[in-house]
Each structure stands twice: as C-alpha cells, then as structure tokens.
Amino acid sequence: MAYSELLSFFKDKQKSILHVIISLVTIGSQQAFSFFTFNCPCKARMNLYYALAFTLVPGFVLLTFGYAVNDLTWKLIMSIRNGPKLSFNNNFKLTSYVLCSITGTALVAPITWTAITLLNGLYYQCGLSEFLSVDSWKVFENLTIHERKDILARFPCLQMSIKEIANISEIRNEGNRILLFESQMAGWILVASVTFIGFLCVCIPRYCSPLCFLHLSYWAQYVENEDLLFGRTLKRHSQLYALKHIKMFFGLTPEEKEVKRIRLPAKNDWKMISGINMFTKLGHDPCQYSLLHSWANDSTPDSRYIPVDDVTLAE
C-alpha cells in the first residue's frame, strides 16, 4: 500500500520532480564546467566578454534545448497553421497560455545556471573586477584610468603578481570579497524573484480557472490518460495499417506462422518504394504517408506469387 501511494505521489508531482532533476543536473554541470574550463584572462576589456560568454551562451543553449525537447513546442507551431481555426481572441489566449507554459519549463535550466553562477561568484569576479570603485584605496590616486583598470582586471588571478603597487594583496582580497558579495546578493535576489514570479504564474491561472479544484484535477487526469491511450492506439493502428501494405508487397507479414506462398516484387516495384519522398500525397483523402503506401494504393493485382515450404523459421 505504501509503495502504491508513493508511486501515485511521484506520478502526481512528476512535473515538479522533473524541474528538480533538471535543476540538479544543471547545478552539477555548472560546477564541472567552471572547474574544468573557466580560466579568467585577467586582462582589461577581455574579462567582461569572457565572463559574459560563459554565463549567457550556456544559458541560451539550455533555453533552446528546453524549447526543442518539449512536445508542446512543436504542437503549438504546427497547430498555428494546420490546427483548427479559432477566433482571434480565443486563439491569442490559448497560444499565450501554452507559450507561457512551455517557456516556464524551458527557463528552469538557464535560470538555475545563472543563479548558481552568481552564487559561485567566479564569473562575476572575473567580468566586473576592472569596474571596482577605487575611491577608498588611496594607492590608486596617482594612476591613470587605464592603469587602474589594468591592475583591477588582474584581481581574480591570485597567482598573478602586481608589481605596480606594494602590499597589494590586502586590497586585492578586499576587492574580491566585495565582488563576491555583490554576485551572491544578485544571485539570491534572482532566486527570490523567480520563486515569487513562479508562484504567481501557478496561482493566477488557477484563480482565473472556471473549474473547481476537483474538476480541474479530473480534467488534468483525463488529458494525461487520453494522451497515454492515444499514443498506444496510434502505435497499434499504424502497425496494422503498415502491415496491410507490407503484406501486399511481400505476400506475408512477420506475425504469420504458416506461410504458404510469398510474393516476388518486380524491379519496378522496388523502384517505386525506394527514395526519400516520405510524404507523397498529403493533399488527398485519404493521405498517403510513404512511397510504399502510394505503391499499395496504385498497385495492380497481377503480381507474381510462388509457393514456399511450410517450415518454421528461426527468429
């Protein structure tokens, strides 16, 4: 009983659990990525671009990947042109809702990446070290702006010596602590903001829903079961439909136990079903989904069959 209840709990919370798994994988990837690949150049004007590349590019890749692996993305794109025609108002509402749902899931990984990057502070220290305020450090008063930026840009690289200023280590440590503080504060602000916005995105649709809580739960369960059963039926239906055409071509199907005769396809038959034109006559009713399908609809009954011995073949 406890096992079935636990299984039911995970099934009901599978979307939330998926988000947690994505976040954990992203955290691990970010830590490994920082440890093995990030190496701040410690050069003025280069630090910022380098840190931005390590922050924004992986985030963009994760966002694109999040859109690409979501079936709702392709369902939305294809339904815009080939779906049922709705009024502009209804179509806009439905499209906006689905797009927000897709975006919410796709943003989990890039936001996690950005938040962990800020909490870690490594990229922030590298990218913004040259923009540190030096008003409290009198040793920088006699230096030009270019010289200041050059020295500050070397703060993240502890192994790099700074000969221009004596006893610079204490200033360097203080500067790095300031940058780490700013980075981690920005990270926690991002986490808090996303948490609050995410909570609102869950509450507002439910508040505006015309259904009560139990009815909404039933609807969600129905849609899940419908998708599951439709997928299983789709697979079975397509198998039976394909078997019909395969039997016409070869004279048998893999399920047949006693085969009395087989068909010998002609050379022209092989030509007609060979090629890369997968969708042949989708403008007709019924549609023809493959070259074999087209061949089966256009074939003539004067095919050549030969008898075979009734033997059991090893699979």
Side-chain angles (χ1 to χ4, degrees):
M1 185 66 179
Y3 175 76
S4 61
E5 291 177 354
L6 186 63
L7 191 64
S8 177
F9 171 79
F10 281 115
K11 185 177 180 181
D12 292 339
K13 305 296 182 183
Q14 57 183 350
K15 189 171 183 179
S16 299
I17 294 172
L18 177 62
H19 289 171
V20 172
I21 293 174
I22 292 173
S23 299
L24 292 176
V25 172
T26 305
I27 291 171
S29 302
Q30 198 279 334
Q31 294 296 318
F33 200 69
S34 300
F35 181 79
F36 290 107
T37 63
F38 188 80
N39 189 14
C40 187
C42 293
K43 295 286 186 182
R45 294 178 298 279
M46 293 177 60
N47 285 9
L48 180 61
Y49 299 130
Y50 189 77
L52 285 176
F54 270 75
T55 304
L56 299 181
V57 173
F60 176 75
V61 171
L62 290 171
L63 178 64
T64 305
F65 183 76
Y67 277 114
V69 299
N70 196 329
D71 288 342
L72 275 178
T73 303
W74 310 113
K75 187 180 290 188
L76 176 63
I77 291 174
M78 298 181 73
S79 66
I80 291 175
R81 177 175 179 180
N82 299 318
K85 302 302 180 183
L86 303 174
S87 66
F88 175 80
N89 190 35
N90 289 335
N91 189 53
F92 177 77
K93 288 181 179 179
L94 182 60
T95 302
S96 300
Y97 177 77
V98 175
L99 185 60
C100 289
S101 177
I102 297 170
T103 303
T105 301
L107 282 172
V108 172
I111 288 178
T112 302
W113 178 279
T114 305
I116 296 302
T117 295
L118 291 173
L119 292 174
N120 182 282
L122 186 63
Y123 300 173
Y124 189 94
Q125 285 178 326
C126 176
L128 297 181
S129 61
E130 63 183 279
F131 301 102
L132 269 171
S133 174
V134 296
D135 294 340
S136 59
W137 300 320
K138 297 185 181 294
V139 292
F140 286 91
E141 290 180 350
N142 297 325
L143 299 177
T144 64
I145 295 178
H146 177 75
E147 290 173 332
R148 291 177 185 177
K149 285 184 174 292
D150 182 64
I151 294 173
L152 292 172
R154 286 181 272 169
F155 273 20
C157 300
L158 299 179
Q159 72 278 9
M160 185 177 289
S161 62
I162 301 176
K163 299 178 181 179
E164 292 87 344
I165 300 177
N167 301 321
I168 192 65
S169 59
E170 185 176 341
I171 297 176
R172 169 190 266 169
N173 292 335
E174 182 181 349
N176 286 335
R177 284 196 302 270
I178 292 172
L179 291 170
L180 181 60
F181 163 78
E182 293 176 352
S183 180
Q184 291 183 338
M185 286 300 298
W188 284 119
I189 291 172
L190 176 63
V191 171
S193 302
V194 170
T195 302
F196 180 71
I197 293 172
F199 179 74
L200 288 180
C201 290
V202 173
C203 287
I204 292 174
R206 281 160 175 74
Y207 177 78
C208 298
S209 173
L211 305 179
C212 64
F213 177 77
L214 291 178
H215 197 176
L216 184 63
S217 299
Y218 174 82
W219 183 21
Q221 190 68 54
Y222 169 82
V223 171
E224 181 182 343
N225 288 329
E226 184 184 70
D227 287 342
L228 177 64
L229 294 173
F230 189 87
R232 289 163 57 185
T233 307
L234 181 146
K235 181 179 179 180
R236 181 62 177 156
H237 185 281
S238 60
Q239 283 178 336
L240 294 173
Y241 202 28
L243 281 172
K244 171 189 172 185
H245 303 139
I246 291 170
K247 184 174 179 64
M248 290 181 64
F249 192 79
F250 289 111
L252 79 158
T253 61
E255 284 75 16
E256 293 187 46
K257 301 300 181 182
E258 296 182 0
V259 180
K260 300 298 183 182
R261 63 175 189 164
I262 59 173
R263 179 179 179 274
L264 295 182
K267 182 188 260 187
N268 191 50
D269 294 335
W270 287 107
K271 279 178 156 183
M272 289 180 66
I273 69 165
S274 300
I276 58 173
N277 186 15
M278 294 295 295
F279 303 101
T280 54
K281 296 180 181 178
L282 293 182
H284 298 70
D285 260 340
C287 297
Q288 296 178 11
Y289 301 107
S290 70
L291 293 175
L292 176 63
H293 191 178
S294 297
W295 171 89
N297 287 350
D298 299 338
S299 65
T300 55
D302 55 346
S303 299
R304 182 184 175 191
Y305 286 85
I306 63 170
V308 296
D309 294 333
D310 187 10
V311 295
T312 303
L313 300 178
E315 294 184 0

